């Protein structure tokens, strides 16, 4: 059981950190022209379903990981919206 807990913790940390480089780069460059909005919407939909699954099965790790994922993916969508608006009006 301990091995499974460590495994799920490491998997959760990796899953949370997958898109952090993209978030950082987008924040620094403020360039969003080549980023697909649909990808981030699908990430959020998938994470929401996993969150619901975690709630229904009382799986704390799944709830925690997917709550973070929904937050960071929503942040990315917000940056896409804000930076695309800025770039549109800056021309």
């Amino acid at each position: 059981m301990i091995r499974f807990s460590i495994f799920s913790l490491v998997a959760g940390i990796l899953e949370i950190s997958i898109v952090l480089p993209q978030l950082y780069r987008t924040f620094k460059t403020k360039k969003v022209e080549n980023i697909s909005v649909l990808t981030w919407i699908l990430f959020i939909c998938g994470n929401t379903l996993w969150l619901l699954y975690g709630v229904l099965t009382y799986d704390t790790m799944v709830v925690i990981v997917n709550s973070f994922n929904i937050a960071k993916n929503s942040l990315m969508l917000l940056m896409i919206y804000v930076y695309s608006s800025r770039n549109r009006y800056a021309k």
Side-chain angles (χ1 to χ4, degrees):
M1 193 63 157
I2 293 174
R3 200 178 276 165
F4 178 74
S5 296
I6 292 170
F7 176 75
S8 62
L9 178 64
V10 171
I13 290 170
L14 287 174
E15 187 171 339
I16 289 170
S17 63
I18 285 173
V19 298
L20 291 179
Q22 182 67 56
L23 283 169
Y24 178 76
R25 183 176 188 169
T26 303
F27 179 74
K28 283 299 201 182
T29 65
K30 314 244 185 303
K31 293 182 181 179
V32 295
E33 296 83 27
N34 296 322
I35 298 176
S36 170
V37 172
L38 181 60
T39 299
W40 296 95
I41 291 172
L42 291 174
F43 276 149
I44 292 170
C45 290
N47 293 138
T48 302
L49 291 174
W50 273 111
L51 176 64
L52 180 61
Y53 171 80
V55 169
L56 293 175
T57 60
Y58 303 100
D59 191 332
T60 306
M61 186 59 70
V62 172
V63 170
I64 292 170
V65 167
N66 286 290
S67 296
F68 276 107
N69 284 340
I70 291 168
K72 69 179 171 45
N73 293 338
S74 297
L75 177 62
M76 186 66 193
L77 271 181
L78 180 65
M79 285 195 297
I80 291 171
Y81 175 76
V82 169
Y83 297 149
S84 65
S85 298
R86 280 188 191 170
N87 291 339
R88 191 174 332 139
Y89 295 117
K91 294 179 181 178

